């Protein structure tokens, strides 16, 4: 997982910056292609053991794609003025707010699930402790 993620980051940063100097607009298109390939690889192998982690990562990829696509719209409409920059900005802001809410809800979900497993472990420990006391008392009374 880390090798693929590092490769994706290197492609998005170094290649895009290098390409941006020589071909205007191609950097955003190359970024979209890299994000799409990374999304396909992620959806093919689901690298995380928890389903929720895989879904959150997929949402992050979708956000990256939408951000790059909006950047492509903004750069293409710079000369023609065919898209409203304010509306695209509002769309991006709402998309990122949605991602933050999704991430926070997953954190709350994991905390609740962890708290539930702690309660189960404590109850099992108390049962074992009571069973051990009963055995000791039975041994003590029997001898």
């Amino acid at each position: 997982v880390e090798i693929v993620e590092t490769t994706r980051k290197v492609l998005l940063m170094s290649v895009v910056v290098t390409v941006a100097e020589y071909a205007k607009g191609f950097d955003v298109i190359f970024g979209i292609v890299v994000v799409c390939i990374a999304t396909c690889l992620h959806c093919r192998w689901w690298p995380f053991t928890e389903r929720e982690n895989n879904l959150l990562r997929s949402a992050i990829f979708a956000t990256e794609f939408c951000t790059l696509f909006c950047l492509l719209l903004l750069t293409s409409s710079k000369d023609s003025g065919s898209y409203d920059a304010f509306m695209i900005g509002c769309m991006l802001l709402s998309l990122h707010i949605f991602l933050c809410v999704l991430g926070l809800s997953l954190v709350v979900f994991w905390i609740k699930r962890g708290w539930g497993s702690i309660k189960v472990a404590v109850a099992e420990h108390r049962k074992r402790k009571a069973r051990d006391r009963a055995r000791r008392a039975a041994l003590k009374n029997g001898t």
Side-chain angles (χ1 to χ4, degrees):
V1 174
E2 290 298 322
I3 293 173
V4 174
E5 187 67 21
T6 303
T7 304
R8 182 185 71 84
K9 288 178 182 177
V10 166
L11 284 174
L12 280 176
M13 292 307 295
S14 62
V15 175
V16 168
V17 168
T18 305
V19 168
E21 293 180 17
Y22 301 107
K24 287 283 184 193
F26 184 73
D27 53 347
V28 178
I29 295 171
F30 184 76
I32 289 173
V33 169
V34 168
V35 168
C36 288
I37 290 172
T39 304
C40 290
L41 289 174
H42 176 77
C43 291
R44 169 69 175 96
W45 282 291
W46 290 100
F48 300 110
T49 55
E50 296 286 329
R51 179 176 176 263
E52 294 84 12
N53 291 340
N54 286 314
L55 293 176
L56 180 63
R57 188 64 188 143
S58 296
I60 291 170
F61 279 135
T63 303
E64 288 177 358
F65 173 78
C66 290
T67 302
L68 288 170
F69 185 73
C70 288
L71 180 62
L72 184 65
L73 288 178
L74 286 173
T75 55
S76 68
S77 71
K78 191 182 291 183
D79 298 327
S80 64
S82 57
Y83 296 105
D84 186 16
F86 179 74
M87 289 306 294
I88 292 175
C90 289
M91 185 177 71
L92 278 174
L93 183 63
S94 62
L95 186 66
H96 287 280
I97 288 172
F98 169 74
L99 186 64
C100 289
V101 168
L102 180 67
L104 288 174
S105 64
L106 283 175
V107 167
V108 169
F109 171 75
W110 289 323
I111 288 172
K112 284 183 178 180
R113 189 167 60 174
W115 186 253
S117 64
I118 288 173
K119 285 182 179 179
V120 168
V122 167
E124 288 176 1
H125 177 72
R126 288 180 180 161
K127 285 180 186 176
R128 272 183 277 168
K129 209 171 182 185
R131 194 173 40 234
D132 288 345
R133 279 192 217 128
R135 284 183 189 161
R136 281 192 215 123
L139 287 174
K140 196 178 211 184
N141 292 338
T143 55

